[in-house]
Amino acid sequence: MSASENTTFNVRVTSTGDVFEVPANRTILHVLFENGYEVPLDCSNGRCGTCRTRYLSGNVDHRDTALSESERSEYLTVCVSRAHGGEVVLDLPAPQSTQPVARPIAVVDAPVCVACLNCVRFCTFDAARIDDELIGVGGIQGAAVIDKDLCTGCGLCAAACPTGAIEMNINTHDKVISTIHALNIESDSVDSESTTDVSTVEDVTSVMIFACPQCRETTHQVCEAQNRFTSQRTHARVVEVPCSGRVDTLQLMHAFESGADAVMVAGCQPGECLFNTGNLHVTQRVNRIADWLDNCGLGRDRVHMMHLTPGDDENLIDALTNLSKTAAAKGRSPLHQLSATAVPTSTSG
Ligand code: SF4
Ligand code: SF4
């Protein structure tokens, strides 16, 4: 539905009495965040239900695909649902501050943009476009720009940008790389502490798993269980990403270069991605990394793309067991001792 078909309405917050107008071209989410109210978010497009908020009254226009009919009598998703005019009363706690809350969005550094259109093609929310008035790399006419109101913060464009012109405002590329390094260092220290006279760090298989919002709970549970099962000698660590499609080739390479013996990406089943195509794009990147692993003699079977149904512990345990056994048979990755400390500032698709 286009913004021109939307109605302006008000939201009232019971805890504070605050009343805000929600114009036709904004969402309840935008207005709440701008006024300091923070609501948990994942997809920002009505598919996951993470931002469900209790409402006490109002003629709500439910536009999500996440809530059941019975849930809709009590909750609405603030990211997409609206009202048919009038006022919606929300049951939200008072904010910690009246300062605007940042929500995840992509930002373009125009002077680094080559106007390749990758971001326009990868964005399934029409948030990315080329602005002919902007000046791109080397003074070329035209550079990408992101409509922050349409952006869901999925990061598909950032992963696809060949020049690093796109950065996420919150979970920046450097932050993801730092997390990868920190988890691998933590994994090494746990390995050292838990080794015994008969087992050494060399017996351990360190697995790094990138997990999207729909897969993260299952992945965390399985990893915690697997890490306790010491005879397997697998230590699995989870890097949470906004979408599996946010995982770029540099992040995958850093996982290996900072010590992982095997890497898995856990994304949704085809057709189930919260951001439509992220899980398909990352599958291609995983295949490219498999080729790279072959070329440098590490073996392509150290990396695995897992299309996971949330809650399907059994298949994830099987896949993780197979991956760690395969990696264990090859021995620790030769890159394990070469923990890189430099953090790159550019990304690649
Ligand atoms: S972060 Fe996602 S929604 Fe936002 S511009 Fe990039 S691809 Fe589009
Ligand atoms: S993908 Fe990067 S370089 Fe290409 S148009 Fe978008 S911002 Fe510019």
Side-chain angles (χ1 to χ4, degrees):
M1 196 171 287
S2 70
S4 61
E5 297 169 75
N6 293 337
T7 309
T8 297
F9 60 98
N10 288 341
V11 289
R12 176 188 297 274
V13 181
T14 41
S15 60
T16 57
D18 283 345
V19 178
F20 307 114
E21 183 183 88
V22 183
N25 62 346
R26 314 300 317 284
T27 65
I28 302 175
L29 174 74
H30 294 148
V31 171
L32 289 177
F33 272 53
E34 280 163 11
N35 289 283
Y37 290 85
E38 190 165 7
V39 176
L41 278 184
D42 275 326
C43 78
S44 298
N45 68 89
R47 293 183 68 175
C48 70
T50 302
C51 69
R52 78 186 63 196
T53 299
R54 195 160 169 258
Y55 68 97
L56 304 176
S57 63
N59 185 8
V60 176
D61 178 8
H62 293 281
R63 296 187 182 180
D64 62 275
T65 53
L67 303 187
S68 65
E69 278 310 311
S70 63
E71 287 174 309
R72 286 179 169 189
S73 63
E74 193 176 353
Y75 296 96
L76 60 80
T77 53
V78 296
C79 64
V80 291
S81 293
R82 308 186 60 81
H84 301 288
E87 182 175 274
V88 176
V89 179
L90 299 178
D91 184 16
L92 275 174
Q96 304 283 323
S97 141
T98 52
Q99 291 302 307
V101 178
R103 61 187 172 82
I105 54 168
V107 181
V108 178
D109 185 7
V112 188
C113 174
V114 294
C116 69
L117 291 173
N118 265 8
C119 52
V120 179
R121 282 195 296 268
F122 275 63
C123 180
T124 54
F125 298 94
D126 291 334
R129 66 179 174 83
I130 300 295
D131 183 336
D132 294 337
E133 301 296 315
L134 293 176
I135 304 297
V137 71
I140 62 167
Q141 197 74 37
V145 66
I146 307 292
D147 183 331
K148 64 181 172 43
D149 286 343
L150 296 178
C151 179
T152 62
C154 66
L156 268 60
C157 56
C161 177
T163 67
I166 303 187
E167 180 58 288
M168 304 310 295
N169 64 334
I170 294 178
N171 215 1
T172 63
H173 181 70
D174 285 358
K175 198 169 166 195
V176 178
I177 297 293
S178 298
T179 301
I180 291 168
H181 282 242
L183 287 174
N184 271 331
I185 289 166
E186 177 193 301
S187 186
D188 268 0
S189 69
V190 171
D191 293 351
S192 303
E193 285 166 16
S194 63
T195 50
T196 66
D197 289 346
V198 291
S199 67
T200 69
V201 171
E202 293 309 307
D203 297 324
V204 175
T205 305
S206 173
V207 182
M208 180 153 282
I209 307 182
F210 294 87
C212 77
Q214 298 209 92
C215 299
R216 68 186 167 213
E217 193 179 332
T218 310
T219 306
H220 274 297
Q221 282 170 1
V222 165
C223 287
E224 279 164 24
Q226 193 86 6
N227 292 347
R228 282 199 299 271
F229 183 42
T230 52
S231 67
Q232 181 70 37
R233 307 294 299 146
T234 296
H235 284 152
R237 296 287 179 274
V238 181
V239 181
E240 293 184 9
V241 285
C243 173
S244 60
R246 170 68 187 101
V247 181
D248 63 35
T249 47
L250 267 180
Q251 292 165 2
L252 290 166
M253 289 166 81
H254 266 271
F256 283 106
E257 287 169 6
S258 63
D261 300 303
V263 173
M264 178 187 286
V265 178
C268 305
Q269 297 287 355
E272 299 295 324
C273 175
L274 291 179
F275 304 99
N276 304 314
T277 54
N279 53 352
L280 305 181
H281 294 307
V282 76
T283 301
Q284 295 176 343
R285 284 180 207 125
V286 167
N287 290 337
R288 286 207 288 277
I289 289 296
D291 292 341
W292 173 71
L293 290 170
D294 261 351
N295 289 338
C296 59
L298 294 176
R300 63 188 309 110
D301 42 9
R302 284 184 187 264
V303 66
H304 180 69
M305 178 69 214
M306 177 82 196
H307 291 290
L308 181 65
T309 300
D312 184 0
D313 294 25
E314 209 173 306
N315 271 323
L316 181 56
I317 290 168
D318 282 351
L320 183 53
T321 303
N322 286 340
L323 181 62
S324 58
K325 276 185 179 168
T326 303
K330 292 174 182 293
R332 296 224 71 162
S333 162
L335 299 176
H336 177 248
Q337 297 303 329
L338 303 175
S339 255
T341 51
V343 178
T345 54
S346 61
T347 186
S348 74

